[in-house]
């Protein structure tokens, strides 16, 4: 197990290095000169010159990269052009919001998807299975930004139970914070729930056909014991793969949900960063996203090891 | 849209505004007059003495919840590059000169002013005014602010409004003299916008530029409390505000909500107290009995611009034909559900003292357009490749409609969506695209609208086209203190822009709506959101 983790950790730096290269060059591919966006339609040559100099855009590109990468390794991601705050501060403020959304969303997905998936698999083609299938199709097909707006309309405007403006800092009022998170979490988790539910069902169906399950039944174990001890444990491996991918996808989903619900998270930072050509922010978010995906994969790998002794022994 | 309908809309607009004003003006003497006060008039000091019939002074209380579509970029009035920052600054700053909702001017931090001769103005400052950090507001502080606006190091875009200023002199603690090289009738109204949002000199000097942009200090009724990027900004009442008993709110919270559907939901659920609905959303809330909707015509407009330096636009017949081929009424129906005004020239109707409702040019006439094209040697039309545009999908219907209308006279449009910076640089500075569909940012001073694009030396004038006599008229308007006379000059310029230049296909000017909950009292809408927030209160 230790060897596995060490192996994975050693592979990290080169991957991160490639990520920094891509991150930096992607920004160069942005169609607009950042200074154009900063200036808007009001062009003031003196200001243009000052801004270009301050951003280091007057230097050759390789020099810009080297300056940037050396700053990155000392933990300085520069200042946002738009908000005038250090990008590290921006990230530090926003990561908790995105994490809260992601963790709650994924937890809700798993809590719903695994039991329903198991029941679906144990009673294929039953009414409950058909209902779950219908939900899964709807969940995958429904764009989550639209679902978000519908939820707001129903729960905030018609029923008046929940706020339309979701965000209240946790430190300010934990209860209001959680209350505000309910709708974003539901909108966010629906697609994930649908995917994980289908995955659980098919993995379970696969396992339930195996000889050892029949053997377990023959031994006289209760249905429940067969399902949890023998079947689910074996069905977990593909589920972890998918869940790992979903964790990596969290940021992608948060981009939309955070924009709809006005949550000041990393996703929103990415969107406004791109729209306003705030390239230090775009670079910072991309770096963070890269690290996030790498970390999610690492965690998935380690979890494999925990549930599957074959992986552990290597 | 027919004239009749437009007049109907105008009547509605003025009635709504009037209703709100009557409902809200409980004894104050600064009710805006239907026509803006001329800049030469010395404004009356505002007194807030309540009349005997007014019930006991209202108690302070409540938070006013407002909405913006995006975070501000910069809260330092002198570093700000966009008028969209203004609403976020308004609670924090008193303006040197206050802009009235009809773009007139009245007393602000300058209690009165006296135009000695055309080139010298003496301002008398209000006494007993303090910045949020305790620094007193005096002539020195105001001078320091204007000096900073023209500081080359800072390169503030506000500096352009002071280029005519020769000298600023502190006469006493409360008297400031400003001399200009030539008579300048616009200086005072320039000071009614960001340029006149006076910063605390102490705060400016003790912070870096980046720090100050997030922590501005003014003399306004509210001080900035907390700024959570992409979420909200809160302000709390300033206890030492110079107008005793004001402000009447505990604070203001301005939310950043990008999606109009979500913002509307937040307004309907009571989380926002004031909301500017999109034209298409107005129908959804106009029957709500607990709110008042005010509307006005935007001070910016939409246009389609041709690049004269590229063929076949060198021929004025072609340019005129393209102006005539557009059915503007149909465009307004399509884009704004009928909630916009047809625009034939560069003067928006909100500048009522200069606007001529009877002015019409190049009305929809495809037959005449085809005839002009044939005369210019294009009986079978031509292709404009590409027409550049930017903005979200909301703009697309306009372009597709234009494509169809121009198709009718044989002119084919190839559309190319690009980033805004590319569009303005490529079209306005490098002149590499033949046509551009865009919108002009709202301006509070008509002189700015008339200078941009049309002045021969303006950066946005494609091809640096010179309209004979135009630049001289601009200078003349700048020195004309009489508003009626100045309006006449602008109308003369409008005619030149339309007839001699004909580089612009003026399209339309949308109405802006603002819905205010009835429990919000004395909220008087302002086209550039310079609402007098100190007097607003909440009575549930």
């Amino acid at each position: 197990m230790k060897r596995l983790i060490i192996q994975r950790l050693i592979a990290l730096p080169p991957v991160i290095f490639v990520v920094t290269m891509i991150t930096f060059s992607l920004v160069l591919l942005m169609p607009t000169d950042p200074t154009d966006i900063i200036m808007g339609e009001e062009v003031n040559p003196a200001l243009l010159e000052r801004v270009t100099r301050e951003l280091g855009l007057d230097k050759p590109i390789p020099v810009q990269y080297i300056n940037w990468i050396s700053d990155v390794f000392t933990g300085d991601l520069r200042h946002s052009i738009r908000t005038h705050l250090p990008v590290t501060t921006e990230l530090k403020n926003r990561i908790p919001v995105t994490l809260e959304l992601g963790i709650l969303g994924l937890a809700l997905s798993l809590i719903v998807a695994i039991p329903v998936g198991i029941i679906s698999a144990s009673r294929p083609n039953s009414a409950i299975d058909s209902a779950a299938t219908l939900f899964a199709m709807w969940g995958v097909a429904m764009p989550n930004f639209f679902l978000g707006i519908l939820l707001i309309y129903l729960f905030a405007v018609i029923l008046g139970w929940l706020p339309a403006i979701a965000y209240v800092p946790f430190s300010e009022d934990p209860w209001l914070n959680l209350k505000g998170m309910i709708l974003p979490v539901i909108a966010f988790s629906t697609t994930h729930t649908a995917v994980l539910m289908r995955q659980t069902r098919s993995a379970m169906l696969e396992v339930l056909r195996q000889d050892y399950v029949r053997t377990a039944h023959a031994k006289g174990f209760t249905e429940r014991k067969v399902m949890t001890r023998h079947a689910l444990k074996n069905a977990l491996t593909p589920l972890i793969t998918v869940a790992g991918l979903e964790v990596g996808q969290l940021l992608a989903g948060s981009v939309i949900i955070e924009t709809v619900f006005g949550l000041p998270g990393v996703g929103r930072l990415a969107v406004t960063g791109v729209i306003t050509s705030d390239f230090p922010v775009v670079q910072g978010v991309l770096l963070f996203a890269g690290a996030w995906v790498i970390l999610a994969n690492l965690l998935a790998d380690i979890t494999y090891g925990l549930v599957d002794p074959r992986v552990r022994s290597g | 849209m027919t004239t009749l309908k437009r007049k109907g809309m105008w009547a509605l607009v003025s009635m709504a505004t009037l209703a709100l004003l009557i409902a809200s003006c409980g004894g104050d003497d600064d009710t805006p007059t239907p026509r803006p006060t001329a800049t030469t008039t010395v404004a009356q000091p505002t007194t807030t003495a309540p009349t005997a019939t007014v019930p006991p002074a209202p108690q302070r209380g409540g938070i006013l919840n407002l909405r913006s579509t995006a975070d501000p970029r910069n809260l330092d009035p002198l570093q700000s590059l966009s008028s969209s920052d203004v609403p976020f600054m308004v609670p924090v700053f008193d303006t040197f000169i206050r802009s009235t909702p009809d773009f007139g001017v009245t007393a602000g931090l300058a209690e009165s002013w006296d135009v000695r001769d055309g080139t010298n103005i003496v301002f008398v400052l209000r006494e007993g005014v303090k910045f949020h950090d305790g620094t007193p507001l005096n002539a020195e502080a105001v001078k320091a602010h204007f000096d900073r606006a023209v500081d080359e190091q800072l390169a503030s875009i506000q500096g352009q409004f002071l280029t005519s200023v020769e000298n600023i002199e502190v006469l006493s603690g409360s008297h400031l003299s400003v001399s200009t090289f030539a008579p300048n009738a616009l200086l005072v109204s320039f000071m009614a916008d960001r340029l006149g949002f006076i910063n605390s000199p102490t705060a400016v000097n003790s912070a870096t530029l980046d720090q100050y942009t997030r922590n501005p200090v003014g003399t306004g009724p509210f001080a900035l409390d907390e700024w959570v990027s992409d979420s909200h900004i809160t302000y709390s009442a300033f206890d030492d505000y110079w107008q005793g008993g004001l402000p009447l709110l505990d604070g203001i919270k301005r939310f950043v909500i990008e999606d109009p559907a979500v913002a509307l939901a937040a307004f309907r659920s009571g989380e926002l107290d004031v909301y500017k609905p999109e034209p298409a959303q107005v129908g959804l809330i106009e029957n709500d009995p607990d709110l008042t909707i005010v509307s006005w015509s935007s001070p910016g407009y939409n246009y389609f611009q041709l690049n004269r330096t590229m063929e076949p636009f060198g021929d004025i017949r072609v340019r005129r034909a393209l102006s005539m081929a557009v059915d503007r009424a149909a465009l307004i129906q399509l884009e704004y559900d009928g909630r916009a005004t047809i625009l034939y020239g560069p003067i928006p109707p909100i500048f009522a003292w200069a606007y001529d409702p009877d002015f019409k040019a190049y009305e929809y006439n495809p037959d005449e357009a085809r005839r002009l094209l044939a005369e210019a040697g294009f009986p079978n039309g031509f292709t404009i490749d590409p027409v550049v545009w930017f903005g979200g999908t909301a703009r697309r219907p306009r372009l597709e409609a234009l494509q169809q209308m121009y198709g009718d006279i044989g002119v084919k449009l190839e559309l190319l969506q690009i980033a805004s910076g590319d569009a303005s640089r490529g079209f306005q500075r490098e002149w590499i695209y033949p046509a551009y569909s865009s919108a002009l940012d709202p301006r509070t001073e008509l002189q700015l609208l008339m200078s941009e694009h049309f002045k021969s030396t303006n950066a946005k004038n494609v091809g640096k086209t010179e309209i004979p006599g135009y630049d001289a008229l601009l200078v003349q308007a700048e020195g004309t203190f009489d508003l009626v006379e100045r309006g006449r000059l602008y109308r003369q310029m409008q005619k030149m822009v339309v007839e001699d230049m004909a580089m612009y296909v003026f399209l339309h000017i949308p109405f802006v709506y603002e819905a205010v909950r009835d429990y919000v009292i004395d909220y008087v809408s302002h086209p550039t959101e310079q609402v007098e927030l100190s007097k607003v209160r909440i009575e549930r």
Side-chain angles (χ1 to χ4, degrees):
Chain A
M1 188 68 193
K2 242 185 216 159
R3 226 180 70 200
L4 173 83
I5 296 175
I6 291 167
Q7 265 175 6
R8 302 289 177 190
L9 284 178
I10 289 172
L12 276 186
V15 177
I16 288 176
F17 181 69
V18 173
V19 168
T20 63
M21 291 281 277
I22 295 174
T23 302
F24 186 80
S25 11
L26 274 181
V27 168
L28 294 177
L29 292 178
M30 290 211 298
T32 311
D33 188 335
T35 52
D36 274 349
I37 297 276
I38 299 167
M39 294 291 126
E41 296 224 334
E42 314 250 6
V43 185
N44 178 336
L47 185 59
L48 183 71
E49 198 200 305
R50 194 191 93 198
V51 168
T52 309
R53 201 177 53 238
E54 278 174 5
L55 295 175
L57 294 173
D58 50 346
K59 307 226 167 56
I61 286 165
V63 177
Q64 285 186 39
Y65 176 71
I66 289 166
N67 287 344
W68 178 69
I69 198 82
S70 49
D71 281 355
V72 167
F73 281 112
T74 55
D76 177 9
L77 291 176
R78 309 252 165 110
H79 276 60
S80 158
I81 298 172
R82 183 176 68 98
T83 66
H84 310 278
L85 288 175
V87 175
T88 44
T89 310
E90 283 286 4
L91 283 171
K92 217 161 38 195
N93 291 343
R94 285 154 186 269
I95 288 171
V97 179
T98 303
L99 271 188
E100 185 182 358
L101 176 68
I103 290 173
L104 291 177
L106 206 66
L108 180 66
S109 294
L110 291 171
I111 290 169
V112 174
I114 293 180
V116 176
I118 293 173
I119 295 169
S120 283
S122 59
R123 297 188 188 81
N125 303 323
S126 64
I128 196 166
D129 182 33
S130 306
T133 307
L134 200 69
F135 168 80
M137 283 174 157
W138 173 81
V140 171
M142 185 75 170
N144 51 10
F145 70 90
F146 186 57
L147 176 63
I149 291 172
L150 290 183
L151 286 173
I152 290 175
Y153 191 69
L154 177 64
F155 288 101
V157 179
I158 297 181
L159 299 172
W161 294 351
L162 293 167
I165 301 171
Y167 183 68
V168 176
F170 190 82
S171 54
E172 208 169 273
D173 190 329
W175 165 239
L176 281 183
N177 170 277
L178 288 175
K179 204 171 154 190
M181 278 298 193
I182 294 175
L183 295 182
V185 164
I186 293 175
F188 177 75
S189 66
T190 309
T191 317
H192 297 286
T193 308
V195 171
L196 289 173
M197 194 185 282
R198 296 305 289 168
Q199 194 61 42
T200 311
R201 180 181 181 274
S202 60
M204 282 298 281
L205 276 178
E206 182 68 32
V207 172
L208 287 176
R209 274 203 293 272
Q210 301 293 323
D211 289 343
Y212 58 80
V213 172
R214 197 182 314 130
T215 311
H217 275 299
K219 277 164 136 181
F221 284 134
T222 57
E223 175 74 14
R224 192 192 182 137
K225 213 165 196 177
V226 174
M227 280 293 177
T228 52
R229 270 272 182 80
H230 296 82
L232 182 62
K233 230 175 171 180
N234 283 295
L236 272 181
T237 325
L239 201 62
I240 290 167
T241 314
V242 175
L245 288 175
E246 298 282 303
V247 172
Q249 289 268 309
L250 281 186
L251 278 180
S254 76
V255 166
I256 292 158
I257 294 297
E258 286 173 4
T259 305
V260 171
F261 287 93
L263 298 172
V266 180
R268 187 86 188 282
L269 185 65
V271 175
T272 42
V274 169
I275 291 174
T276 57
S277 281
D278 190 350
F279 69 95
V281 162
V282 175
Q283 286 168 333
V285 171
L286 285 176
L287 258 189
F288 170 73
W292 173 270
V293 172
I294 291 169
L295 199 72
N297 288 344
L298 182 70
L299 283 178
D301 284 350
I302 293 172
T303 322
Y304 278 155
L306 290 179
V307 295
D308 192 341
R310 286 166 301 184
V311 178
R312 211 158 36 212
S313 55
Chain B
M1 188 191 261
T2 63
T3 319
L4 191 77
K5 261 175 100 181
R6 200 172 78 225
K7 277 190 179 143
M9 175 65 85
W10 267 103
L12 191 82
V13 171
S14 7
M15 270 166 62
T17 317
L18 205 67
L20 191 81
L21 288 176
I22 292 169
S24 62
C25 292
D28 293 342
D29 61 358
D30 62 344
T31 309
T33 47
R35 293 175 76 85
T37 32
T39 43
T40 42
T41 319
V42 176
Q44 292 299 310
T46 319
T47 51
T48 50
T51 56
T53 52
V54 173
Q59 292 296 304
R60 177 185 290 179
I63 304 279
L64 184 70
N65 296 297
L66 307 171
R67 174 246 182 175
S68 281
T69 48
D71 251 15
R73 296 291 291 266
N74 206 315
L75 292 182
D76 175 356
L78 296 184
Q79 286 186 69
S80 163
L81 293 169
S82 163
S83 54
S84 58
D85 292 339
V86 170
F88 292 94
M89 293 174 191
V90 164
V92 177
F93 293 97
D94 282 315
T95 22
F96 191 57
I97 307 288
R98 177 164 277 287
S99 156
T100 58
D102 53 3
F103 288 160
V105 288
T106 181
L109 289 174
E111 204 167 42
S112 63
W113 56 95
D114 184 9
V115 184
R116 292 277 162 88
D117 56 66
T119 58
N120 180 259
I121 308 175
V122 173
F123 294 94
V124 182
L125 271 60
R126 232 172 255 290
E127 301 211 26
V129 180
K130 276 195 187 126
F131 289 100
H132 302 152
D133 60 3
T135 311
L137 175 103
N138 52 27
E140 283 292 344
V142 177
K143 180 174 163 30
H145 180 81
F146 291 142
D147 284 348
R148 183 168 175 260
V150 293
D151 177 43
E152 280 173 23
Q153 230 13 70
L154 188 72
S156 168
I157 60 163
Q158 301 300 325
Q160 62 178 309
F161 303 123
L162 294 177
T163 44
S164 64
V165 171
E166 188 180 7
N167 183 34
I168 299 179
E169 196 186 337
V170 175
L171 301 179
S172 74
S174 61
H175 286 66
L176 189 75
S177 151
V178 177
S179 311
T180 52
F181 293 108
N184 191 323
L186 307 166
L187 195 60
V188 170
S189 69
F190 286 151
M191 291 172 174
D193 201 22
R194 272 170 288 169
L195 175 64
F197 291 3
I198 310 291
N199 285 318
S200 157
T202 322
V204 166
N205 290 333
S206 59
T208 66
L209 287 182
D210 272 355
Q211 281 166 351
Y212 191 74
T213 65
R214 292 189 65 94
N215 302 286
V217 177
T219 60
F222 299 91
L224 186 84
D225 235 8
E226 180 192 40
W227 176 356
V228 179
S229 297
D230 290 330
S231 173
H232 61 266
I233 293 191
T234 54
Y235 306 86
S236 54
F238 173 43
D239 289 329
D240 278 343
Y241 191 56
W242 58 270
Q243 264 178 299
L246 300 183
L248 296 170
L249 294 164
D250 284 334
I252 289 171
K253 192 162 186 179
R254 192 171 265 281
F255 291 95
V256 175
I257 306 172
E258 199 178 319
D259 192 313
V262 176
L264 180 66
F267 179 63
R268 294 172 101 172
S269 69
E271 291 164 75
L272 294 177
D273 305 315
V274 177
Y275 171 59
K276 283 193 164 143
E278 307 276 308
Q281 291 178 332
V282 174
L284 299 172
I285 51 173
E286 64 189 352
N287 293 325
D288 190 328
D290 301 326
L291 54 85
T292 308
I293 300 181
V294 199
S295 96
W296 60 88
S297 180
S298 164
Y301 56 78
N302 300 305
Y303 64 94
F304 183 81
Q305 191 182 353
L306 307 169
N307 177 353
R308 236 183 110 140
T309 67
M310 288 173 102
E311 286 310 320
F313 302 129
D315 189 328
I316 194 162
R317 287 171 299 190
V318 172
R319 305 201 300 268
R320 286 178 174 162
L322 291 180
S323 260
M324 280 181 204
V326 179
D327 183 352
R328 296 167 177 89
L331 272 187
I332 287 174
Q333 207 51 49
L334 174 82
E335 285 188 69
Y336 298 106
D337 201 13
R339 298 172 197 273
T341 312
I342 292 184
L343 189 74
Y344 294 104
I347 302 179
I350 197 163
F351 297 99
W353 48 274
Y355 180 68
D356 176 6
D358 298 325
F359 177 79
K360 287 194 172 57
Y362 310 123
E363 286 181 88
Y364 180 51
N365 188 346
D367 293 330
E368 177 64 9
R370 273 187 288 264
R371 195 192 64 76
L372 278 174
L373 280 188
E375 200 182 293
F378 299 97
N380 301 316
F382 51 87
T383 301
I384 310 180
D385 184 17
V387 173
V388 291
W389 65 289
F390 68 91
T393 43
R395 289 252 177 103
R396 190 165 262 286
R398 176 189 311 165
L399 286 139
E400 284 169 356
L402 284 176
Q403 230 171 0
Q404 203 178 348
M405 290 168 190
Y406 283 136
D408 283 350
I409 60 160
V411 174
K412 197 164 175 270
L413 306 190
E414 294 291 346
L415 304 180
L416 177 67
Q417 183 178 10
I418 54 181
S420 70
D422 274 350
S424 55
R425 183 182 50 190
F427 188 83
Q428 290 169 342
R429 275 178 271 156
E430 295 171 2
W431 314 342
I432 54 173
Y433 299 119
Y436 178 36
S437 168
S438 182
L440 205 66
D441 280 344
R443 298 275 182 243
T444 51
E445 179 50 66
L446 189 51
Q447 177 88 0
L448 299 178
L449 281 178
M450 301 305 279
S451 308
E452 250 176 280
H453 297 271
F454 315 125
K455 191 179 172 185
S456 64
T457 52
N458 189 276
K460 294 176 198 170
N461 182 333
V462 176
K464 296 275 179 272
T465 306
E466 193 177 343
I467 314 173
Y470 189 88
D471 294 4
L473 279 178
L474 271 177
V475 175
Q476 197 185 332
E478 192 175 67
T480 305
F481 285 84
D482 178 30
L483 210 53
V484 176
E485 173 59 15
R486 186 142 37 103
R488 199 189 59 76
L489 290 173
Y490 288 137
R491 283 194 292 277
Q492 198 181 337
M493 286 187 246
Q494 162 163 279
K495 206 156 171 275
M496 292 171 148
V497 165
V498 170
E499 286 175 9
D500 305 343
M501 193 185 206
M503 257 165 59
Y504 297 79
V505 179
F506 294 100
L507 298 175
H508 42 36
I509 191 152
F511 284 105
V512 181
Y513 294 84
E514 189 157 56
V516 183
R517 285 282 170 207
D518 285 345
Y519 56 75
V520 180
I521 315 290
D522 284 2
Y523 184 98
V524 184
S525 300
H526 188 287
T528 52
E529 299 209 38
Q530 296 187 45
V531 177
E532 221 172 334
L533 292 166
S534 59
K535 292 177 181 163
V536 177
R537 63 182 198 276
I538 289 178
E539 251 172 42
R540 294 199 195 249

